[in-house]
Amino acid sequence: MGKKTIHVSDFSGTVLRPDDEMVRVVVLEHPDLVAGPVRLDATPTEVENIDDAALDVAVVEIHDGRDGDEPRRVVLTASEFDALATDVPMAQLLRTAERVKPPKARKAAEKIDYGTIEHAGKPHRGRVTEEESR
């Protein structure tokens, strides 16, 4: 007994032949997406105009202290966002604005002192120090 895998376009339901080209589309954000990114399979012709349909958008976070201090993420068209700047053009404002540092990486695991009684003799990488061997 054998198994046969049939690939089907998630967009159109079209059955793809073994020699057909397949494109993977990963949906990162969508109003109906509830459990994280998903993968969709499609034919190249089904997604060939996707770049033409792309919008110029601004993705912003609003830190206003609501919702337990979690920021709100908002996506709006770039022109709508640009219109918020009434004193200086948005392009100039963005060039001169204060830079935001990326989030810090998680702290490394606490360093264990194998020379103490509580950790003495535990296996570890590296050499055994004189203090640890005592």
Side-chain angles (χ1 to χ4, degrees):
M1 181 162 101
K3 291 183 181 182
K4 185 175 185 180
T5 302
I6 299 173
H7 292 278
V8 177
S9 166
D10 291 309
F11 290 109
S12 65
T14 304
V15 175
L16 304 174
R17 296 185 310 257
D19 58 332
D20 284 345
E21 195 175 343
M22 187 172 64
V23 176
R24 179 176 60 200
V25 177
V26 177
V27 182
L28 302 171
E29 293 184 32
H30 188 280
D32 295 327
L33 194 61
V34 292
V38 297
R39 171 190 165 167
L40 301 173
D41 294 326
T43 66
T45 56
E46 291 173 327
V47 296
E48 68 185 356
N49 294 329
I50 203 165
D51 290 324
D52 297 336
L55 302 173
D56 286 329
V57 298
V59 180
V60 299
E61 286 183 344
I62 308 295
H63 298 257
D64 59 7
R66 286 193 263 164
D67 300 325
D69 293 330
E70 286 294 317
R72 289 189 328 264
R73 181 173 272 204
V74 180
V75 179
L76 61 161
T77 64
S79 60
E80 289 173 323
F81 182 69
D82 292 351
L84 296 174
T86 57
D87 185 38
V88 177
M90 185 58 75
Q92 181 180 348
L93 186 60
L94 293 174
R95 279 193 301 274
T96 59
E98 179 183 351
R99 299 286 171 228
V100 176
K101 293 180 182 177
K104 292 183 179 180
R106 293 187 306 155
K107 290 183 179 179
E110 192 175 308
K111 191 171 183 175
I112 297 174
D113 182 4
Y114 292 99
T116 62
I117 296 293
E118 99 183 84
H119 297 294
K122 288 184 180 176
H124 65 83
R125 298 172 124 188
R127 296 190 303 202
V128 177
T129 63
E130 286 183 34
E131 184 179 339
E132 185 182 354
S133 64
R134 280 186 268 143

